Amino acid sequence: MARPAPLDRAARHAVAAIFALNGVLFGSWAARIPAVKERLDLSDGSLGLALGLIAVGALVAMPLSGWLSARGGSRRTTRLALGAFCFAIPLTGLAPSYAALLGATLLLGASGGALDVAMNAHGVAVERRHSGPILSSFHAAFSLGGLTGAATGALAAAAGVDVRLHLLVAGLLALAIGLPASARLLPADADDAGERAGPLLALPPRALWAVGAVAFCALLAEGAAADWSAVYVRESLGAAAAVAPLAFAGFSLTMALGRAVGDRLTAGWGPVALVRRGGLLGAAGLAAALLIGRPIAALAGFACLGAGLAVMVPVVFRAASELPGLTPGMGIAAVSAMGYAGFLVGPPAIGGLAELSSLPLALGVLVVLVLAPAALAPRLRPARGHPPGEAVLSPS
């Protein structure tokens, strides 16, 4: 196996660092949302609107980021988006009024969405210079960064550190680490499509909808697990308050571990078998947990769900980047938007279904949704001549 050139190894480390920093900042912000709410004395509805603007900003910025990454290379877009994200994080804590917070969360969503697309596009460009799949390792870095950011945020809150100081320090440190690291990204011409980038707004080809559906289902299940796993264990199963958070902790841990070994599994099994087995594992684990109805079964079930979902997003991003007729950035942008829509729809949809029936029955819908990627897995079959890690969409 040929050893990657020094430039390619340096770019791989740089992309991993950017993914990790993105996770740290996102986790830090998520952990301090209650402090931001308390500082500005916001109602639940006011906070919900501010959080909703994050989604609006992300969904608007994702297509633009994909187009810019195609027209000028993902290196520049990644660096600009990283700088904007590091700037937006402290603004959410420093906002002196509710109106300022709305502007800050809109910028947070736009910069975060742009960074998500650009860094994945660059990750695909780096992967193509290596002899095997490496994209999952970048997502593992993000997961570990998110866990680190959430943990440090919890510690800062417990120690009484002012949210303004905490998020300001987090943003400045990420900027100080991220910008020098991003200087080692591949040159702009590594994935600059120029005029071949096409128009900014165009209807995605039909073949992309299948991979987008996998992203939608996977991220819907991930968002629902984040918001409802602890609630289910605490309120539906009557577990102790200290036990309930372990459901999402186990989910997050197995997702991070699954992504850490995801590249090896992709190379060994191929994307079709990997997505199919992941869907079956996640659905079977969650279904067993809901049927047994005991706290220990729920912890194991959500851990299985995390392991099953772990590699789906890296696989579909790789597949979207190989779609004929679209640049990698545009393909990833389209899939990101569809997946992000699922992430946003999932939690309120589960809540609405739970209101109409019960939370266990509502979570049962996730079993079906996690099985859907297993059914759609053949659409991720590698084209002839591509190694197992280089999936492309089937033409049908």
Side-chain angles (χ1 to χ4, degrees):
M1 182 179 294
R3 184 176 175 83
L7 177 65
D8 300 333
R9 294 200 303 273
R12 178 179 181 176
H13 296 153
V15 174
I18 291 170
F19 269 78
L21 289 171
N22 189 5
V24 169
L25 289 176
F26 183 80
S28 298
W29 150 251
R32 300 312 303 268
I33 290 175
V36 172
K37 181 177 185 290
E38 181 181 357
R39 178 174 172 268
L40 295 178
D41 193 24
L42 303 179
S43 66
D44 290 343
S46 296
L47 178 62
L49 176 59
L51 297 178
L53 286 180
I54 296 178
V56 172
L59 290 173
V60 170
M62 282 175 173
L64 178 60
S65 177
W67 185 77
L68 290 174
S69 295
R71 288 301 297 260
S74 57
R75 172 192 172 94
R76 180 176 61 183
T77 309
T78 299
R79 301 193 78 193
L80 289 173
L82 175 63
F85 194 53
C86 292
F87 177 72
I89 287 288
L91 287 185
T92 60
L94 294 169
S97 65
Y98 180 57
L101 178 65
L102 294 179
T105 53
L106 184 65
L107 177 60
L108 181 68
S111 57
L115 180 58
D116 187 59
V117 170
M119 69 183 186
N120 273 287
H122 203 84
V124 167
V126 172
E127 182 180 66
R128 288 174 176 169
R129 293 173 175 243
H130 287 70
S131 57
I134 61 172
L135 194 59
S136 187
S137 67
F138 298 145
H139 288 262
F142 173 83
S143 295
L144 293 174
L147 290 172
T148 301
T152 56
L155 290 174
V161 177
D162 190 287
V163 64
R164 292 169 291 186
L165 176 62
H166 172 214
L167 295 182
L168 178 62
V169 170
L172 291 176
L173 283 177
L175 192 66
I177 297 171
L179 285 186
S182 66
R184 296 181 294 166
L185 295 174
L186 296 175
D189 59 6
D191 59 351
D192 181 1
E195 295 299 323
R196 293 183 291 109
L200 172 59
L201 297 177
L203 185 66
R206 188 181 64 174
L208 189 62
W209 289 101
V211 73
V214 175
F216 179 88
C217 292
L219 287 175
L220 188 154
E222 183 178 340
D227 283 17
W228 291 105
S229 57
V231 176
Y232 167 69
V233 174
R234 174 64 172 159
E235 297 185 0
S236 298
L237 302 183
V243 173
L246 296 179
F248 184 62
F251 174 88
S252 301
L253 180 60
T254 56
M255 177 167 281
L257 293 176
R259 288 175 170 175
V261 299
D263 293 321
R264 183 174 300 178
L265 295 177
T266 302
W269 293 348
V272 174
L274 187 57
V275 170
R276 181 180 287 130
R277 293 171 184 176
L280 293 174
L281 172 63
L286 183 58
L290 294 173
L291 289 172
I292 294 171
R294 299 291 180 86
I296 187 64
L299 300 187
F302 280 106
C304 288
L305 181 62
L309 296 176
V311 297
M312 288 190 185
V313 170
V315 167
V316 297
F317 277 8
R318 182 184 294 112
S321 75
E322 297 285 350
L323 181 66
L326 282 180
T327 63
M330 294 296 283
I332 290 172
V335 168
S336 295
M338 295 172 73
Y340 199 67
F343 190 82
L344 296 174
V345 166
I350 295 297
L353 289 174
E355 189 72 22
L356 294 174
S357 55
S358 67
L359 184 53
L361 286 176
L363 291 174
V365 175
L366 296 183
V367 175
V368 179
L369 289 173
V370 176
L371 281 174
L376 292 169
R379 305 298 292 273
L380 304 174
R381 182 173 292 112
R384 183 176 301 174
H386 285 256
E390 295 182 4
V392 299
L393 289 175
S394 301
S396 60

